[in-house]
Amino acid sequence: MKIFNKMALLLTLFGAANAIAQEPWQTQGVIEGNLPASWQTLKTEMRYPHSWLSGHYKDFTQWQTHSRQLFRTALLTPDSTKPFAPEILSKEDRGSYTAEKLALTITDDNRIAALLLMPKSPGPHPAVVLLHDHGAKFDIGKEKLIRPWGDATKLASAQAWADKFFSGKFIGDELASRGYAVIAIDSPGWGDRGPMVYEQQQALASNYFNLGRSLAGEVAYEDMRTVDFIASYAGVDSQRVGVLGFSMGGFRAWQLAALSDKVAATAVISWFGTYNGLMQPGNNVLRGQSAFYMLHPGMPAQMDIPDIASIAAPKPMLIFSGGQDKLFPPEAVKEAFAKAHRVWKSQNADDKLVTRTWPQLGHVFYREQQDEVFPWLDKWLKP
């Protein structure tokens, strides 16, 4: 009888609590997918007043300057004043090019390692800044794109990653063999700047905010500095610097093109969509954690994803997406492609924007895609 009475009491209390939660005068706080209960209403309020497509601006150059500064301010990261002071840590001969591991002062607060590939042929050479993905794999970063040396464990990890996502190829080495200077760094938490674990990301991001800074802003500004460094490097043509990134690196690529006018051409692989399309129950961005590497405070209220990427117009940009990519729903990608084309077309440069969905491919950068991207880079970066 006592057990029965206790169960009855618990059921009564549960029912009362549930009734309170459902009262018409109370708004539910959180719903499925970690979304605020008012998420659909909030989405209707995202009108992107600083988009070129908003109709609020008449002069594209003035809009571009304004929007770039708006985005730069959102990084919450001060300009660096210290010289790069590069130092060669190790070096390897790779036939037609050399591989170097450098130490450089990327910001006033951080001195980090970079991998640099340089052709042996006479310069000045075109250059490509490579931007690594996330993949919840932190033991390697820059090594996902440039073959490491001197560490068998790291090489095995990097080769397995290349086998999974890049048809077994190291993208940086492929480009260096085509005559490009190539550089890649680790974002905070990866490779020589980690490794961290997945569950640490949210705390790291909050600690940046507590320090008045931004994790996503740190990543973006360090990428800007990487462009500045390679553009000033001996043997590199500062007018022919491109960027290429896969997955989170694709996000980093279009945002870098938006932030730096030194970027001459941009290749984005497997990271594009609209906030409307990505902010849906079940999407990966709703999980938090890794999303903090790509969250700039306040920016989603000002411009949509393709709006930000379009700050780079009318310079050449290529964006590939996989039709089977579960992270980026086809409708979100299609909508984003259409928005970007409207901007490039408004500047009579629609031929400089290449967008394509690969119906049978997922979240990858396979050889058949590389065979189109590399010649496209040659078209815009080689004389």
Side-chain angles (χ1 to χ4, degrees):
M1 181 64 71
K2 289 183 178 180
I3 295 175
F4 175 80
N5 288 338
K6 286 182 178 179
M7 289 183 64
L9 178 60
L10 287 172
L11 288 171
T12 300
L13 291 173
F14 176 79
N18 191 55
I20 291 172
Q22 300 304 316
E23 288 287 355
W25 48 263
Q26 179 169 284
T27 301
Q28 191 174 351
V30 181
I31 64 172
E32 180 184 0
N34 302 318
L35 284 161
S38 57
W39 71 280
Q40 290 177 315
T41 301
L42 293 175
K43 281 180 68 174
T44 65
E45 297 172 0
M46 296 173 72
R47 298 185 177 91
Y48 312 120
H50 292 284
S51 165
W52 171 249
L53 302 176
S54 68
H56 298 161
Y57 300 87
K58 301 301 180 184
D59 185 281
F60 188 82
T61 301
Q62 290 180 359
W63 168 80
Q64 189 177 53
T65 300
H66 163 78
S67 298
R68 179 167 284 155
Q69 185 56 50
L70 180 72
F71 191 17
R72 173 67 186 89
T73 301
L75 303 189
L76 306 182
T77 307
D79 290 333
S80 292
T81 58
K82 293 181 180 178
F84 294 109
E87 174 189 358
I88 298 176
L89 303 176
S90 63
K91 190 171 182 177
E92 183 176 77
D93 190 309
R94 295 189 174 173
S96 64
Y97 60 97
T98 59
E100 296 178 349
K101 186 173 185 177
L102 303 177
L104 67 147
T105 301
I106 197 69
T107 67
D108 287 359
D109 304 311
N110 294 297
R111 189 164 175 81
I112 67 171
L115 295 181
L116 174 69
L117 306 178
M118 284 293 293
K120 292 181 180 178
S121 57
H125 304 287
V128 175
V129 175
L130 291 180
L131 306 164
H132 70 73
D133 60 78
H134 189 292
K137 184 173 175 61
F138 299 98
D139 62 313
I140 51 173
K142 57 192 181 298
E143 298 85 5
K144 293 178 177 180
L145 298 162
I146 295 177
R147 179 166 58 85
W149 65 97
D151 186 325
T153 300
K154 187 167 286 189
L155 175 58
S157 181
Q159 185 63 63
W161 202 251
D163 291 343
K164 183 176 182 180
F165 292 105
F166 310 131
S167 297
K169 304 293 183 179
F170 284 98
I171 303 304
D173 290 82
E174 293 291 308
L175 288 167
S177 69
R178 298 175 71 97
Y180 289 93
V182 181
I183 190 169
I185 68 168
D186 296 316
S187 287
W190 275 271
D192 292 323
R193 305 179 75 184
M196 65 188 306
V197 297
Y198 188 89
E199 292 75 18
Q200 287 179 292
Q201 297 174 98
Q202 210 140 295
L204 176 64
S206 69
N207 288 333
Y208 264 95
F209 287 139
N210 285 331
L211 292 166
R213 304 284 278 271
S214 161
L215 175 58
E218 183 76 32
V219 172
Y221 186 64
E222 289 181 357
D223 289 343
M224 291 175 65
R225 287 278 287 172
T226 305
V227 169
D228 292 344
F229 172 75
I230 198 66
S232 65
Y233 200 75
V236 169
D237 186 338
S238 63
Q239 301 302 307
R240 293 186 287 144
V241 177
V243 298
L244 185 158
F246 164 68
S247 191
M248 184 185 79
F251 171 94
R252 293 165 63 193
W254 58 253
Q255 81 169 1
L256 180 53
L259 287 164
S260 175
D261 60 4
K262 295 179 182 178
V263 175
T266 307
V268 178
I269 313 298
S270 297
W271 210 114
F272 210 58
T274 58
Y275 286 121
N276 178 58
L278 298 183
M279 292 298 294
Q280 298 287 350
N283 192 273
N284 190 61
V285 300
L286 305 189
R287 297 171 62 185
Q289 295 293 359
S290 56
F292 277 90
Y293 279 96
M294 295 161 277
L295 293 177
H296 298 288
M299 280 305 295
Q302 307 302 327
M303 290 188 282
D304 198 359
I305 291 165
D307 295 327
I308 298 173
S310 296
I311 297 173
K315 291 183 178 180
M317 184 175 289
L318 174 149
I319 312 172
F320 281 174
S321 187
Q324 304 301 314
D325 191 334
K326 296 179 181 179
L327 301 179
F328 296 93
E331 285 305 311
V333 175
K334 182 179 179 181
E335 183 182 16
F337 282 174
K339 276 193 167 186
H341 276 287
R342 286 176 61 194
V343 179
W344 261 263
K345 188 174 182 179
S346 76
Q347 301 308 302
N348 300 310
D350 201 39
D351 60 322
K352 293 183 179 179
L353 177 64
V354 174
T355 60
R356 180 177 173 183
T357 295
W358 295 71
Q360 304 306 317
L361 297 182
H363 198 69
V364 295
F365 184 28
Y366 280 171
R367 186 57 184 263
E368 55 263 44
Q369 296 166 298
Q370 298 167 28
D371 288 343
E372 293 200 16
V373 171
F374 295 159
W376 182 86
L377 288 172
D378 291 345
K379 174 182 178 180
W380 296 110
L381 297 179
K382 289 187 175 181

